[in-house]
Each structure stands twice: as C-alpha cells, then as structure tokens.
Amino acid sequence: MEIFIATSNKNKVKEFKDMLEPKGYSIKSLNDLDEEIEIEENGQTFEENAIIKASTIAKRFNIVAISDDSGLEIDALNKEPGIYSARYLGHDTSYDYKNSQILLKLKNETNRDCRYVCSIAICYPSGENHVFTGILEGSIAYEMTGSNGFGYDPIFYYEPFKTTLANVPLDLKNQVSHRHIALMKLLEYLDAKE
Ligand code: ITT
C-alpha cells in the first residue's frame, strides 16, 4: 500500500520510511511532487495543524493523505516552542543556534522536564479524518550531545537511554519516539479498517 505523507521535512520522511517500509508500505511525500505546495499551519494545536496539512493534500489531489505535526514542549518555558518548534527563533535558523539558545535560557533552571508531541492525521478526500497522538517524555540536557536524528534531538535527554536522542542510532529512536507511538496508533486503525 502506498502512503502519501503531506510533509516536506526530509528527516520526518526518513523516519516514516524506516518505520513503514519494512512493513510493506511505500512512502511518497510533498518532495516527490513537481510543484511546491505551501500550506499555512494556522491551527492552535498539533491536532489542528495535522488535519490542516493532510486534508489540504487529500482534497487537492483526491487521495488519502497522512501528515505529521510535531514539536517540543518545555515546561520551564511555558511549553514553548510547542507548535512553533519549526519556526522557533526563525524558520531558517540553525538547530545549533536554537538548541544553544534553549540551553542558555535554562542555564539556572532545575525543572528541565520536556516532551515531544506528534499528531498524525489521516484525511480522506470525502472530508473524513482521524488524528492519533504520541508523546515522549524527556528532559533538556545540560549540553548538546550527538549528531543523529534532527532538530532538538541533541538536547532531548531520554532517561531510559541515559543520553540524548541524537546520541543513539536512529532505529533506536524510532522504537520509542513520539512519531513511532502515533504511527502505531494509525497502523492499528488501518489494520482494523481492512
Ligand atoms: P512539515 O510541516 O512539512 O511536516 P515541519 O518541519 O515544518 O515540516 P512541523 O511544523 O510539524 O513540521 O514542526 C516540527 C518541528 O518540531 C521540527 O521541525 C523539529 O524542530 C521539531 N521536532 C519534531 N519531531 C522531532 C524529532 O523527532 N526530533 C527532533 N525535533 C523534532
């Protein structure tokens, strides 16, 4: 079965491919289209933004589309960057900079609790849609470590691994991640539907 993911984030696409191709799914994304499609993410929650992205593509191309809206919530920063994770401190700003700024803001902070949230929506051309959310609890590390993964992974300390998500192989991250949890819920829904 082919799954179209309404994302242009290459790191997300890679994680989806790594998790879904072994199960026999083939993955296409916005990066496989000839035209560039801009979707305005003007929802107030991960769930709303996930539906906006997948439903736009489902209606436009008359296909079943899935999407991923995700981000990092840091308790000491009032849950920032949250739904603004990709845009935080500027869309084109490097993650080295974003991560170092977060470490600076949390310099004297003892509450380092944070979580990754991922909402995956599946939308049909008919307008039917469903959303599945996965959450991974962690804490903000005291320094950046590792070069695997993407985004905030170098500062996302995951206690069971005793290190950051950027410091473990991607297949290990993919066994526990917020994206994995949400995806398993989607697959359960798809299995039950068949
Ligand atoms: P699309 O909208 O095209 O899917 P995007 O990158 O703009 O791509 P989001 O609006 O959902 O997607 O923002 C997600 C951001 O949250 C992402 O760019 C990272 O900054 C952060 N993020 C989400 N999941 C992550 C993960 O597994 N590891 C590290 N950072 C992550």
Side-chain angles (χ1 to χ4, degrees), residues 27-135:
I27 304 302
K28 287 268 176 320
S29 74
L30 294 179
N31 301 326
D32 296 305
L33 301 177
D34 293 333
E35 51 185 312
E36 203 167 304
I37 298 185
E38 279 287 324
I39 303 172
E40 199 193 342
E41 294 177 33
N42 51 13
Q44 295 304 308
T45 62
F46 292 108
E47 286 86 354
E48 281 174 17
N49 280 334
I51 290 175
I52 290 169
K53 290 190 260 194
S55 64
T56 304
I57 298 303
K59 285 185 192 140
R60 176 127 172 213
F61 296 103
N62 204 30
I63 55 170
V64 179
I66 72 165
S67 64
D68 165 316
D69 199 69
S70 46
L72 174 68
E73 291 182 348
I74 302 173
D75 287 352
L77 300 180
N78 295 319
K79 302 228 158 81
E80 277 186 17
I83 59 167
Y84 302 105
S85 291
R87 296 165 261 179
Y88 189 56
L89 304 174
H91 203 282
D92 297 325
T93 311
S94 75
Y95 277 91
D96 253 9
Y97 181 75
K98 294 186 201 214
N99 287 332
S100 61
Q101 286 304 110
I102 289 173
L103 291 181
L104 212 54
K105 285 185 193 208
L106 264 60
K107 201 165 169 243
N108 299 315
E109 181 58 63
T110 51
N111 177 8
R112 309 191 72 90
D113 294 349
C114 67
R115 69 202 53 79
Y116 272 142
V117 182
C118 174
S119 290
I120 294 180
I122 180 164
C123 296
Y124 296 82
S126 64
E128 181 186 342
N129 53 53
H130 303 271
V131 196
F132 307 92
T133 296
I135 293 174

Side-chain angles (χ1 to χ4, degrees), residues 173-186:
K173 173 187 173 187
N174 284 345
Q175 286 171 26
V176 300
S177 77
H178 49 318
R179 188 158 294 109
H180 165 83
I181 296 166
L183 191 56
M184 289 305 113
K185 292 182 184 176
L186 169 71

Side-chain angles (χ1 to χ4, degrees), residues 72 112 114 116 136-143 145 152-166:
L72 174 68
R112 309 191 72 90
C114 67
Y116 272 142
L136 183 70
E137 297 287 343
S139 61
I140 298 297
Y142 287 88
E143 57 183 21
T145 317
Y152 299 99
D153 287 344
I155 58 167
F156 191 101
Y157 183 89
Y158 184 56
E159 179 58 30
F161 293 164
K162 302 266 182 257
T163 187
T164 67
L165 290 184

